[in-house]
């Protein structure tokens, strides 16, 4: 094992160069004009995975963006790991806020800045380099490995879900390993044992056939922007509680043990607030910040558009107003049930003065797992060796739709070991990855495979 770690340590700079190449491909899954780039990224991965010695490296076509698969299955008698990650990235707007171009990865102060650096290309590449180190030094891996890297995570993983269901036998594994989350804080490595789910909607409000002169018609018709604001205002009460009837019916209560464990985490509310530059924090009353983001569901407005927003003033009653809204879900909320409850409530609160259309978009189920199994313990030991510190256990507020599907279809425990940081600007301008976490992550991943091999 020492020679593998030595190899990783001597290749530190080469890893950064390689990752920059992957980060240069604008594989934005949400934007049709980047479809070709997404495929080019899949092909780049095929090349890289073939070069490092993975086998059966292949592109699996879907009705959307391709999935890249590979395996290495010669560790007879040893456990099988399914590694999952995604090579697609979020759009880069607002582009003018990037200090350096999003697809020209740049190192500043030990951080690599680029779209996808942390979410998730850097973390995918970390595992590829750990696999490469084993195969280069020993010509073999200590465990059997199956790799699935998708190109549609940022748009809801719908095709992957079906792929997993259809290919459940081929994907069978003893453990699923994913690095697509953040550490609790800088210097505090962590293992994540729960994710929130998501339901996402677009609400369209139409008042009249076209925009109207607000002097000629103001007072005679409802204003769609105002109506939309009134509708949205009825989604939450002043205490931050979602008002959709039935919304909390299946929310699993936080156990006393979990509550107590989270109180021991190094969390400083004042520092958190200051980092966000929020004048004051806000959330559901009766819950701590960590409880609010990890264990409680929310309703959020992602964006609103209506009427005149240009410079100066224009007297107009807009014909339409639109909002994108979403709800983060926690165990045991069911996205379909919540969607129905939301649609019914919306119909209930919408006035007859306008036409309201609601369109359901992507989503995913919440996921939670026991974390006292041998694989999590193996990951703890690996992380401790790679980062010099044992990991803490945390939930995350974000969503990775396929994790629930893996659990359901493969019945294998998932180990979520992320090396991003909460302040690395995922989905925002100036996304970055701390290069020492990246490097330690390669070491920890290489050790993880060795540790998993000890489980029989
Ligand atoms: N890697 C994130 C999810 C994540 C973030 C997990 C932080 C844990 C901590 C993932 O790429 C993501 O952004 N997911 C989307 C899912 C959605 C598009 C269905 C999300 O959470 O918004
Ligand atoms: Mn991700
Ligand atoms: Mn993401």
């Amino acid at each position: 094992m020492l020679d593998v770690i030595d190899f990783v340590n001597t290749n530190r700079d080469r890893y950064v160069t390689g990752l920059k190449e992957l980060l240069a491909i604008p594989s934005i899954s949400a934007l049709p004009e980047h479809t070709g780039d997404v495929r080019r990224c899949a092909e780049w991965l095929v090349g890289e995975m073939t070069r490092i010695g993975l086998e059966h490296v292949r592109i699996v076509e879907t009705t959307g963006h391709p999935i890249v698969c590979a395996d290495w299955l010669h560790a007879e008698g040893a456990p099988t790991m399914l590694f999952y990650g995604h090579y697609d990235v979020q759009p880069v707007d607002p582009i003018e806020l990037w200090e350096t171009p999003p697809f020209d990865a740049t190192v500043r102060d030990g951080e690599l800045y680029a779209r996808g650096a942390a979410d998730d290309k850097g973390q995918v590449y970390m595992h590829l380099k750990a696999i490469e180190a084993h195969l280069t030094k020993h010509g073999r891996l200590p465990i059997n490995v199956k790799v699935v890297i998708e190109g549609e995570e940022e748009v809801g993983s719908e095709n992957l879900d079906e792929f997993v269901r259809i290919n459940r036998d081929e994907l069978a594994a003893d453990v699923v390993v994913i690095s697509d989350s953040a550490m609790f804080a800088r210097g505090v490595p962590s293992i994540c044992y729960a994710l929130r789910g998501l339901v996402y909607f677009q609400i369209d409000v139409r008042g009249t056939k076209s925009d109207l002169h607000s002097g000629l018609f103001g007072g005679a018709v409802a204003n769609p922007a105002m109506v939309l604001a009134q509708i949205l205002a009825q989604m939450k009460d002043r205490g931050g509680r979602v008002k959709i009837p039935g919304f909390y019916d299946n929310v699993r209560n936080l156990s006393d043990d979990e509550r107590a464990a989270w109180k021991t985490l190094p969390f400083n509310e004042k520092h958190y607030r200051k980092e966000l530059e929020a004048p004051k924090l806000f959330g559901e009353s009766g819950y701590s910040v960590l409880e609010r983001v990890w264990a409680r569901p929310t309703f959020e407005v992602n964006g609103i558009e209506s009427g005149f927003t240009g410079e100066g003033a224009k007297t107009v009653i807009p014909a339409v107003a639109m909002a994108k809204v979403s709800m983060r879900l926690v165990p045991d909320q069911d996205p379909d049930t919540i969607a129905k409850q939301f649609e019914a409530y919306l119909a209930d609160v919408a006035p007859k003065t306008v036409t309201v259309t609601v369109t359901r978009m992507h989503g995913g189920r919440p996921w939670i797992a026991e974390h006292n199994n041998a694989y999590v313990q193996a990951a703890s030991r690996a992380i401790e060796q790679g980062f010099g510190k044992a990991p803490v256990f945390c939930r995350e507020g974000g969503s990775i739709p396929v994790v629930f599907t893996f659990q359901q279809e493969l019945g294998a425990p998932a180990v979520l070991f992320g090396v991003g940081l909460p302040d690395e600007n995922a989905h925002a301008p100036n996304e970055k990855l701390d290069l020492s976490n990246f490097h330690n992550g390669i070491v920890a991943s290489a050790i993880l495979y060795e540790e998993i091999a000890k489980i029989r």
Side-chain angles (χ1 to χ4, degrees), residues 86 119 153-154 180-181 198 328 362 396 398-401 427:
H86 64 92
D119 185 13
E153 196 278 339
E154 301 291 9
D180 187 25
S181 48
L198 185 75
R328 290 282 168 181
H362 63 233
E396 285 278 12
S399 311
I400 308 175
H427 296 201

Side-chain angles (χ1 to χ4, degrees), residues 361-378:
M361 301 167 85
H362 63 233
R365 286 176 176 278
W367 166 78
I368 188 161
E370 294 297 335
H371 52 278
N372 50 6
N373 62 61
Y375 296 99
V376 169
Q377 284 154 13

Side-chain angles (χ1 to χ4, degrees), residues 19-20 30 32-33 47 56-57 64 109 112 116 144-145 163 196 243 265 299 306 319 370 385 408 418:
L19 177 55
K20 279 183 177 174
E33 63 267 34
H56 305 114
V57 184
D109 301 328
L112 184 61
N144 300 297
V145 170
F163 172 79
R196 287 197 289 188
K243 288 168 72 178
L265 292 171
F299 179 98
S306 182
E370 294 297 335
Q385 291 172 72
Q408 180 176 269

Side-chain angles (χ1 to χ4, degrees), residues 17-93:
T17 313
L19 177 55
K20 279 183 177 174
E21 239 184 69
L22 174 57
L23 291 169
I25 309 170
S27 49
I28 305 169
S29 52
L31 304 177
E33 63 267 34
H34 284 283
T35 304
D37 294 319
V38 178
R39 177 167 301 273
R40 196 151 60 80
C41 193
E43 281 160 4
W44 189 94
L45 283 169
V46 166
E48 174 68 11
M49 286 154 76
T50 307
R51 205 188 52 71
I52 67 175
L54 284 167
E55 298 176 352
H56 305 114
V57 184
R58 60 203 184 272
I59 282 187
V60 176
E61 298 296 342
T62 74
T63 54
H65 301 301
I67 305 166
V68 183
C69 294
D71 59 45
W72 191 93
L73 302 169
H74 307 292
E76 219 175 292
T80 300
M81 165 183 85
L82 174 68
F83 171 72
Y84 160 80
H86 64 92
Y87 66 86
D88 64 323
V89 299
Q90 286 275 334
V92 296
D93 55 289

Side-chain angles (χ1 to χ4, degrees), residues 15 22 44-46 48-49 51-52 54 70 83 121-135 147 149 442 445 449:
Y15 294 155
L22 174 57
W44 189 94
L45 283 169
V46 166
E48 174 68 11
M49 286 154 76
R51 205 188 52 71
I52 67 175
L54 284 167
F83 171 72
K121 286 174 174 175
Q123 303 198 61
V124 164
Y125 197 67
M126 165 181 111
H127 281 275
L128 296 182
K129 294 298 104 173
I131 289 170
E132 178 191 58
H134 278 283
L135 288 174
V147 181
I149 306 175
I442 299 172
S445 302
Y449 312 154

Side-chain angles (χ1 to χ4, degrees), residues 269-320:
E269 193 169 316
K270 216 170 168 179
H271 182 243
Y272 182 89
R273 185 193 68 72
K274 278 205 171 136
E275 276 293 302
L276 298 175
E277 295 181 21
K280 194 173 186 296
L281 294 178
F282 173 75
E284 191 183 359
S285 48
Y287 296 90
S288 72
V289 172
L290 287 183
E291 289 166 9
R292 286 169 182 169
V293 296
W294 287 355
R296 299 296 295 171
T298 63
F299 179 98
E300 298 299 338
V301 179
N302 299 281
I304 297 190
E305 202 170 71
S306 182
F308 179 72
T309 56
E311 245 177 87
K314 177 188 181 194
T315 47
V316 65
I317 298 172
V320 294

